Amino acid sequence: MAVESELTLLERERELAELAQVLEDARAGSGRAALIEAPAGLGKTSLLAAATGLARDTGMTVLRARASDLERDFAYGCVRQLLDPLVARLSDAEHERAFAGAAGMSSCLFAPMPLTSGPSGGAFAMLHGLYWLVNNVADVAPVALCLDDLHWADTESLRFLNFLAPRLDGIAVAIVAATRPGEEASDQLSRLAAAPETSLLRPAPLSAQATVTVCERVFGTAVSLEFAGACRDATAGNPFLLEALLHEAVEQDFPTGPEGALRVSGSGPAAVARAIVLRLSSRPPTATALVRAVAVLGDGASVTEAADLAGLSVAETARAADMLVALAILRPAERLEFAHPIVREAIYADIGAAERALAHARAAELLAAAGAPEERIAAQIAAAEPAGEPRRVQLLRRVAADALGRGAPAAAVAWLRRALAEPPPEGLEGEVVLELSAAELRLGAPEAAVDQLHAAARLVAAPQLLATAVRLLGGALTWSGDADRAVDVIGHAIDALEDSDRELALLLEAERSAYAQQGSLETRAPAAERLERYADLAGETPAERLVLASLAFERSRAAGTAMEASTLIEGALAGGRLLGEQETDVSGTLYLLVLGLISTDSLEAAASHLDAMLVDARARASIPAEAFVLVHRAWVELRRGSVARAEADARTGLELLTEHDIRLGTRFAVAGLIEALIERGELDEAERALADGGHAHDIAAGMASNALLEARGLLRLAQGRPDDALADLNEFGRNDELFG
């Protein structure tokens, strides 16, 4: 029942030809991707194996990975599977060549855990570095990246594949991957499938004639059409299930005539899967113990690890493993792997939920005692029942911190959620909630973080933690469109901290002033007045400098000339010092100062600060921060006359804001996009952008709406609708004066 037998490639000529062409194009320097999408057992792995063999036979460097449901939260797990073996066997000279130039930004991914800091450019730099690493490797020989079970791949690895795919043309790299449809398909996987560089292959179930061929080859004799038809109906033409059923039929000595068809008709895919388990019942107990241990540990477990979990000696384990390979339940490999996901799923489901949970807990203990990587231990903990163990919580927090260090906030969120479910010991819950919320904000999920941050603010006692919770909460509320509430929440925290920690209270004062700019006039005016109380600060601490910067912004509004205003703002920015002192992913004060520079046409200064802010945003792997920087940079490029760049930045920023439901900034982004499209003469596209944002008719009042009112007025003017344009532009002027 070998998965890669010739039977599993019946009627796959079209798919094999397309895979051969993808590899040929890659060898010629025109890289492409192929995604094989089909339900389990339909021959994806066999097609992938055929492509892998062809790539190797034609001199390509083959890098392989197989995703696992146990490892889907490993940061860049599939990428590390692909590249770790290659990196490990490089000589010093080869290593230097592979990681030369921008590829060096990815080197920390292959460093031992725990990782305290990632590449200086964060998530983007990691993707860029990995691209150049693969590119450098392909300069030596064409590369085939072969990935199985991509539906279980971690978010960051999928993001890299999407980063790589549109850059394949011109490099000798092919991506060949297999995935199942409908397996909680992520946006990243859907995007890869829909990419123009991707050939999507969907192998069909076996035809009636192919089923006859398989039946006759397995039985070694002719079979009746009724028998073959019953086999096809029972397995829905699934090659793997068909082979499993036929081997069971051979062992049970089914007749192959019409009478055998009656016996087969009682089977189905689920029954066939169960038959795999039943085949073990007549084998020694060691085989069952081992195969269950491997199902719990996951593919890639060592003989020693499986022996410990199964309670067997190494010699017993080796004999049982050989038996399971002969039964086609395990595949022949250096480490223990199932022959097919269907087999593992059948074995795993047969264990029982309570027993599985206990087995995972035991596996976590054994792996920890053996010094296994903490990610593997965390995966076992995640599958075990919560037990309130402090050691588990600390390990999960370390793994989450490592994921953030590698620029993988999605993985960090998963680990921290499990840490919270453990639950943490009393007194530590607030810190875990705070870490989880901060990671979710980096993913651009402000609404999900609001309630958690409220809870964190109530749970933490230390002033520093309280200030961090409140600053993050203020940002989450403002990004969700509730700046007035953010100002109120921060105000209560200032009252609580003012006497005990003046520095923290000042930091919050600056944050309150920044968020007030996005709120109502009733909120903004008092916040501006309060800043004047701090006019005599010496600026000796980061908090004092931030408050003075907020005050400089307010005073720049009333400046007599653009030069006076920009001088005040430049002084507040202190040549980049202010950015370096920020502790949160998004500082409202910095964006206000940049807006001031744009408003005074200090475009070179604004561009310089935004470039530095973009580096910082990517270093933090913060989606909101990156989105806000791109939107502001779009306005700088527009005023510089770089219309194409402005459009690109506005579109990317708007996509990030919309995709992650960050309401703050979307109107500003839409406005920039519309003005860029007007400059390009694409009025219909500009109207679509306006309508897609829901702003074709009503535009809500507020400072953030001003740019949108102006953009719609300019669009109406360009469309030859002067009355509508005049109404919008007059309203824009009134609001602009009103908001200072």
Side-chain angles (χ1 to χ4, degrees):
M1 196 176 67
V3 175
E4 294 162 8
S5 72
E6 60 178 298
L7 297 181
T8 57
L9 292 175
L10 278 175
E11 299 185 322
R12 299 295 183 248
E13 292 81 9
R14 181 185 64 84
E15 289 84 1
L16 290 169
E18 180 62 22
L19 291 170
Q21 189 62 56
V22 167
L23 295 172
E24 183 180 333
D25 289 346
R27 289 194 299 275
S30 297
R32 291 174 57 199
L35 188 62
I36 309 162
E37 183 184 83
L42 217 59
K44 301 183 303 298
T45 298
S46 296
L47 284 168
L48 187 63
T52 300
L54 179 59
R56 189 175 286 116
D57 291 345
T58 52
M60 300 182 76
T61 298
V62 175
L63 305 177
R64 299 176 60 193
R66 184 181 181 186
S68 160
D69 59 341
L70 273 177
E71 300 178 2
R72 64 198 319 171
D73 293 322
F74 285 21
Y76 291 101
C78 279
V79 168
R80 284 149 62 189
Q81 268 196 64
L82 286 171
L83 294 168
D84 267 336
L86 172 75
V87 171
R89 63 175 180 261
L90 293 175
S91 67
D92 290 345
E94 290 170 335
H95 190 281
E96 185 176 350
R97 183 168 60 245
F99 286 95
M105 291 189 286
S106 68
S107 61
C108 64
L109 186 62
F110 308 98
M113 287 178 64
L115 188 68
T116 55
S117 62
S120 61
F124 178 83
M126 180 67 77
L127 298 176
H128 191 59
L130 286 169
Y131 163 75
W132 279 106
L133 173 59
V134 172
N135 205 327
N136 289 348
V137 172
D139 281 344
V140 178
V143 172
L145 305 177
C146 301
L147 304 99
D148 205 357
D149 293 328
L150 203 60
H151 49 278
W152 283 325
D154 60 283
T155 300
E156 288 74 27
S157 292
L158 289 172
R159 186 171 286 121
F160 169 64
L161 294 177
N162 275 305
F163 185 88
L164 178 62
R167 295 166 174 81
L168 286 173
D169 191 23
I171 64 174
V173 175
I175 300 171
V176 183
T179 184
R180 294 188 204 174
E183 291 276 346
E184 301 178 13
S186 67
D187 291 341
Q188 293 291 336
L189 185 52
S190 299
R191 187 175 301 172
L192 181 65
E197 303 82 13
T198 302
S199 295
L200 188 58
L201 308 179
R202 291 191 170 109
L206 293 178
S207 67
Q209 183 55 53
T211 304
V212 171
T213 301
V214 175
C215 291
E216 292 182 345
R217 289 188 186 178
V218 171
F219 275 91
T221 185
V223 302
S224 69
L225 292 178
E226 292 90 344
F227 180 83
C231 290
R232 187 171 187 273
D233 290 342
T235 62
N238 184 299
F240 179 82
L241 293 177
L242 177 61
E243 270 200 89
L245 172 63
L246 292 175
H247 279 276
E248 190 69 19
V250 169
E251 286 193 7
Q252 299 296 323
D253 198 23
F254 280 24
T256 58
E259 65 277 20
L262 291 174
R263 294 184 65 179
V264 168
S265 63
S267 302
V272 173
R274 286 196 300 272
I276 297 169
V277 178
L278 291 174
R279 294 176 71 196
L280 288 167
S281 61
S282 61
R283 310 295 172 178
T286 54
T288 300
L290 175 60
V291 80
R292 289 185 167 206
V294 178
V296 168
L297 288 165
D299 284 342
S302 70
V303 170
T304 302
E305 290 166 349
D308 288 344
L309 186 58
L312 303 173
S313 69
V314 172
E316 288 175 316
T317 301
R319 286 194 296 271
D322 289 341
M323 184 188 307
L324 292 166
V325 169
L327 290 171
I329 289 174
L330 297 183
R331 70 168 69 217
E334 184 177 341
R335 298 179 78 85
L336 301 173
E337 294 182 21
F338 281 98
H340 196 281
I342 288 178
V343 180
R344 192 253 175 184
E345 289 162 17
I347 300 291
Y348 190 71
D350 188 57
I351 298 174
E355 188 180 347
R356 282 200 306 264
L358 290 172
H360 283 297
R362 175 68 176 148
E365 293 173 1
L366 291 172
L367 291 174
E374 288 194 332
E375 266 183 325
R376 286 193 67 202
I377 303 168
Q380 295 296 328
I381 291 172
E385 284 294 319
E389 291 189 13
R391 287 179 304 172
R392 286 184 176 184
V393 174
Q394 296 294 48
L395 183 142
L396 289 163
R397 292 175 74 191
R398 288 197 300 273
V399 173
D402 178 78
L404 282 178
R406 298 182 193 274
V413 166
W415 298 126
L416 289 167
R417 283 178 179 164
R418 179 58 183 82
L420 204 56
E422 184 59 19
E426 188 177 351
L428 200 62
E429 182 181 358
E431 291 185 38
V432 178
V433 171
L434 191 54
E435 291 166 4
L436 171 59
S437 303
E440 286 181 330
L441 287 176
R442 291 195 185 191
L443 281 176
E447 292 191 348
V450 166
D451 289 341
Q452 289 176 173
L453 285 165
H454 272 297
R458 290 192 300 269
L459 289 167
V460 296
Q464 184 68 51
L465 292 175
L466 174 61
T468 300
V470 170
R471 292 180 79 183
L472 291 173
L473 177 57
L477 286 167
T478 305
W479 304 344
S480 300
D482 199 352
D484 284 355
R485 189 173 162 208
V487 170
D488 184 56
V489 166
I490 293 174
H492 288 303
I494 292 172
D495 294 340
L497 291 171
E498 205 157 21
D499 293 334
S500 60
D501 197 318
R502 178 175 175 274
E503 182 77 358
L504 289 176
L506 286 174
L507 284 172
L508 292 178
E509 190 69 68
E511 293 290 307
R512 174 163 66 177
S513 173
Y515 294 137
Q517 306 299 329
Q518 308 299 331
S520 63
L521 282 174
E522 291 77 9
T523 296
R524 191 178 66 78
E529 290 172 8
R530 276 192 298 270
L531 285 175
E532 289 294 341
R533 296 187 306 174
Y534 303 104
D536 294 332
L537 289 176
E540 295 177 348
T541 69
E544 288 186 359
R545 286 188 282 274
L546 194 62
V547 170
L548 290 174
S550 301
L551 180 59
F553 174 76
E554 288 292 348
R555 289 180 172 178
S556 71
R557 294 174 184 269
T561 66
M563 178 64 74
E564 291 174 16
S566 63
T567 300
L568 282 167
I569 294 168
E570 284 276 34
L573 285 165
R577 181 178 183 181
L578 199 66
L579 172 62
E581 293 176 340
Q582 298 313 295
E583 297 177 358
T584 56
D585 288 340
V586 181
S587 171
T589 304
L590 284 170
Y591 288 97
L592 291 175
L593 294 170
V594 168
L595 273 176
L597 292 176
I598 296 172
S599 300
T600 58
D601 278 337
S602 303
L603 301 181
E604 295 306 314
S608 175
H609 287 292
L610 285 169
D611 285 346
M613 290 165 71
L614 187 59
V615 170
D616 181 71
R618 288 171 172 167
R620 297 176 187 267
S622 172
I623 290 171
E626 182 168 350
F628 293 154
V629 172
L630 290 172
V631 170
H632 285 74
R633 194 172 71 174
W635 282 95
V636 172
E637 297 297 349
L638 189 62
R639 295 203 175 195
R640 278 172 155 179
S642 302
V643 179
R645 290 181 182 177
E647 181 187 348
D649 277 352
R651 284 192 186 279
T652 304
L654 181 59
E655 179 182 338
L656 289 171
L657 293 170
T658 304
E659 183 178 330
H660 297 280
D661 197 27
I662 304 170
R663 297 172 195 168
L664 178 67
T666 55
R667 285 172 284 179
F668 198 49
V670 171
L673 177 58
I674 288 171
E675 292 205 20
L677 291 169
I678 292 170
E679 290 294 330
R680 292 171 69 89
E682 298 178 13
L683 303 187
D684 290 345
E685 183 67 21
E687 184 66 39
R688 274 194 293 274
L690 187 67
D692 289 346
H695 309 299
H697 303 293
D698 297 325
I699 295 178
M703 189 175 75
S705 300
N706 264 14
L708 189 57
L709 272 171
E710 180 189 27
R712 190 172 72 177
L714 293 173
L715 177 59
R716 298 293 177 247
L717 191 63
Q719 290 170 330
R721 298 165 56 180
D723 291 342
D724 292 335
L726 190 60
D728 277 345
L729 294 173
N730 273 329
E731 182 67 16
F732 161 68
R734 284 192 294 270
N735 283 353
D736 207 43
E737 186 174 359
L738 192 63
F739 282 98

